[in-house]
Amino acid sequence: MKLNKIYLQSFRNLQETMLMPAQHFNIFYGNNGQGKTNLLESIFIMATMKSFKTARSSDLVRWGAISSLLKGWVERDGVTREIAVFLDNQGKKIRVDQKAVTRIDDFFGHLNVVVFTPEEVNMVKGLPELRRKYLDRAVFSSDITYLSVYHAYSKILKNRNMLLKRGEKASFDIWTEKLVEQGKNIILSRLAYLDALRDLLKRFYREISGNEEAVDISYRPYHMDLADCRGDVADAFAEALAKTATEEERRGTTLAGPHRDDVEFILNGRPLKQFGSQGQQKSYVLALKMAETEYLQKKFHSQPIFLLDDLSSELDQERKKNLMEFLKKRDMQVFITTTSLQNINVDEIENYRTYRIEEGKVLH
Ligand SMILES: Nc1ncnc2c1ncn2[C@@H]1O[C@H](COP(=O)(O)OP(=O)(O)OP(=O)(O)O)[C@@H](O)[C@H]1O
C-alpha cells in the first residue's frame, strides 16, 4: 500500500501541509524540534487511530487551535481510499471515503504501518508493560479479532479484581472461569504471533547486524508453567490462579494472567536486557520491526508503510547501510526522519523525495 497524498491542518506544530509522497523513500530532515516526528505521528494516527507519543487527542491539536484534520489517500490493489481523522478535545472521529467509521472492521487494514522510534529501544530494559504493549499492538495489527478478546479479558479482570477487593465469594468461581477462557485466547494469539515472527527476527537481525549472533524471543508467563502445555494453556492459567489464590486474596488483585506476562528478548542465549550492548539492543528492536513488516506483508498481501524516526542517532554506518539495503530491496513506502541529509546516501537510492522541515513548515 502507498500513501499518495497527505493533508494536515492544525496538527501539532505543523503548518497546513499538502504532500505528494514518493512511492519509495520520503526523507524529512531538519534540526531538532522542528516537526519531523510530528509528521510521522500524523501518519501513524491515520493508520491506527492512536499516537505513539500521547494518549490525549487534545495534545495533538495545534496550540491555540480548536481542532485538527488529517487526511491520507491510500492506494492498495489499484483502489484509493481517503482516510480522514478529525481531532479535538472530545477525542477522534474517523471517516473512510467520507463515511463515518463506527466499527473497527470498517477501518482495519486500510493503512498498515510499522514504526521504529528511538524511544522504543527503552522497551528492552523497561518494565514488562512496555513489552506487552508492543506485542499487543503487533498482534492486533495483523488480527482484528484480538482487540475484542483483549477488551473482554480486561473487563472480566476488572470485575474479578473488584470481587477480590470486596472479599465476595458468591460468583467468584464463575469470573475465574471466564478469566481463564479469555486469557487463554490472548496467550494463544500472542504465542502464535511470536512463533510466526521468530524466524523472521533471526533472519533480519543477521541482516542488520551483519554478524552471526543468535537472537530469539520467548513468551514469559508470570507464575504460569507453559512448558509442554501448548494445547492446555487454560489448565496452566487455572493452576497459576490456584497457586496464587492466597496471595491475591491478601493483595486484592489478580496476580497471574496475560496482564502480568512478559516477553523476553534473547541474544546468544542470554537476556538482551542484561547482556546486550546499546547497539545490540537497537539492532534487535529494529530487526523486530523489520520482521513485523514482512509478517504484515504476508498476511495482507500488501507491504505496510515503514516509519523510521531519527535514524541518524540510532545506528552506526554499517547498520544504516544494511537497513538501506533491506529497504531498497522491497517495494515498500518508507518515511524517514533525520537531522541531516548527509546521514542518508541519497545517491544510492531511487524514487525518493526529500523535504526540509523548519519550524513546522514542510519545504519541498
Ligand atoms: N500541540 C502542539 N502545538 C504546537 N506545537 C507543538 C504541539 N505539540 C508539540 N509541539 C511542538 O513540536 C515540536 C516537536 O516536534 P518534533 O517532535 O516533530 O520534532 P523533531 O523535528 O522530530 O525533532 P527531534 O529531531 O528533536 O526529534 C516542539 O517544538 C513542540 O513544542
Side-chain angles (χ1 to χ4, degrees):
M1 53 187 67
K2 302 275 159 59
L3 259 172
N4 289 335
K5 197 157 79 172
I6 299 172
Y7 172 77
L8 307 175
Q9 189 190 74
S10 303
F11 181 74
R12 295 272 198 195
N13 75 329
L14 294 171
Q15 304 218 342
E16 187 177 19
T17 302
M18 177 76 101
L19 288 181
M20 306 291 213
Q23 297 280 299
H24 203 173
F25 288 94
N26 293 280
I27 303 158
F28 298 89
Y29 66 100
N31 291 337
N32 295 132
Q34 301 301 304
K36 306 183 294 295
T37 308
N38 294 343
L39 209 133
L40 297 195
E41 188 187 25
S42 72
I43 299 173
F44 191 83
I45 291 170
M46 287 189 271
T48 65
M49 284 284 273
K50 291 211 177 330
S51 158
F52 52 76
K53 289 212 272 191
T54 178
R56 293 195 318 195
S57 294
S58 54
D59 291 347
L60 304 168
V61 177
R62 192 189 171 92
W63 297 325
I66 292 166
S67 61
S68 310
L69 179 63
L70 317 176
K71 279 188 177 185
W73 286 261
V74 191
E75 189 184 333
R76 184 184 164 187
D77 303 328
V79 178
T80 300
R81 287 203 172 80
E82 182 196 290
I83 298 177
V85 180
F86 178 84
L87 305 159
D88 63 12
N89 59 9
Q90 307 284 306
K92 304 181 187 82
K93 287 191 201 86
I94 186 150
R95 286 173 168 264
V96 174
D97 289 337
Q98 272 115 49
K99 275 206 252 40
V101 168
T102 46
R103 296 168 342 131
I104 193 90
D105 308 43
D106 300 332
F107 168 69
F108 188 81
H110 289 331
L111 175 57
N112 292 334
V113 297
V114 174
V115 66
F116 175 73
T117 69
E119 288 74 28
E120 253 161 323
V121 180
N122 296 340
M123 77 168 156
V124 175
K125 291 199 159 194
L127 294 171
E129 188 188 348
L130 291 176
R131 290 179 291 280
R132 278 198 302 271
K133 226 169 160 178
Y134 145 73
L135 181 60
D136 286 333
R137 187 183 275 172
V139 177
F140 170 62
S141 66
S142 60
D143 176 6
I144 190 171
T145 60
Y146 188 69
L147 194 67
S148 54
V149 177
Y150 186 89
H151 284 325
Y153 178 83
S154 307
K155 246 172 141 172
I156 297 166
L157 179 67
K158 214 169 139 196
N159 275 319
R160 191 176 183 273
N161 282 341
M162 211 166 63
L163 296 179
L164 272 170
K165 268 198 192 79
R166 291 187 190 150
E168 272 179 40
K169 300 266 183 214
S171 56
F172 189 70
D173 289 349
I174 297 170
W175 287 100
T176 300
E177 264 171 45
K178 288 184 189 199
L179 191 80
V180 168
E181 183 54 30
Q182 291 296 353
K184 175 195 80 180
N185 292 333
I186 293 185
I187 295 172
L188 286 174
S189 295
R190 289 177 179 174
L191 288 171
Y193 180 79
L194 293 180
D195 282 348
L197 202 78
R198 189 164 290 112
D199 284 345
L200 295 170
L201 168 70
K202 291 178 182 184
R203 185 170 118 213
F204 293 129
Y205 186 87
R206 273 199 303 273
E207 231 172 83
I208 194 77
S209 67
N211 64 40
E212 289 300 313
E213 287 168 341
V215 290
D216 209 339
I217 188 159
S218 184
Y219 194 65
R220 294 276 183 246
Y222 194 65
H223 281 311
M224 211 183 290
D225 190 3
L226 272 184
D228 305 324
C229 69
R230 281 270 159 124
D232 228 332
V233 173
D235 279 357
F237 187 9
E239 258 174 51
L241 288 170
K243 249 194 306 191
T244 52
T246 319
E247 182 66 5
E248 66 177 10
E249 253 177 59
R250 195 178 65 78
R251 290 174 49 185
T253 189
T254 305
L255 293 174
H259 63 291
R260 290 256 168 166
D261 293 349
D262 198 355
V263 183
E264 187 165 52
F265 302 152
I266 300 160
L267 176 76
N268 293 330
R270 296 195 172 84
L272 181 71
K273 74 159 119 180
Q274 272 162 284
F275 298 102
S277 71
Q278 290 268 357
Q280 285 167 327
Q281 291 178 16
K282 286 175 190 170
S283 303
Y284 187 100
V285 177
L286 186 55
L288 269 183
K289 299 302 177 126
M290 291 153 81
E292 197 178 327
T293 64
E294 199 81 349
Y295 181 71
L296 286 172
Q297 199 281 331
K298 287 204 173 101
K299 192 100 191 180
F300 288 86
H301 306 290
S302 178
Q303 283 284 9
I305 291 172
F306 207 176
L307 310 174
L308 293 161
D309 192 26
D310 203 1
L311 205 54
S312 29
S313 74
E314 285 307 293
L315 300 169
D316 60 28
Q317 285 303 334
E318 184 63 22
R319 280 160 212 232
K320 241 183 305 187
K321 197 172 129 255
N322 296 340
L323 173 64
M324 290 310 277
E325 287 307 315
F326 165 87
L327 298 172
K328 275 181 348 194
K329 278 191 269 181
R330 283 164 177 78
D331 177 27
M332 179 158 62
Q333 198 177 27
V334 194
F335 292 78
I336 301 175
T337 73
T338 180
T339 44
S340 164
L341 263 190
Q342 284 171 349
N343 290 314
I344 292 163
N345 203 345
V346 286
D347 298 337
E348 286 183 4
I349 55 178
E350 284 171 16
N351 199 343
Y352 72 90
R353 237 164 245 164
T354 60
Y355 313 81
R356 190 154 64 88
I357 303 212
E358 212 177 273
E359 294 178 5
K361 278 199 285 290
V362 183
L363 306 162
H364 297 259

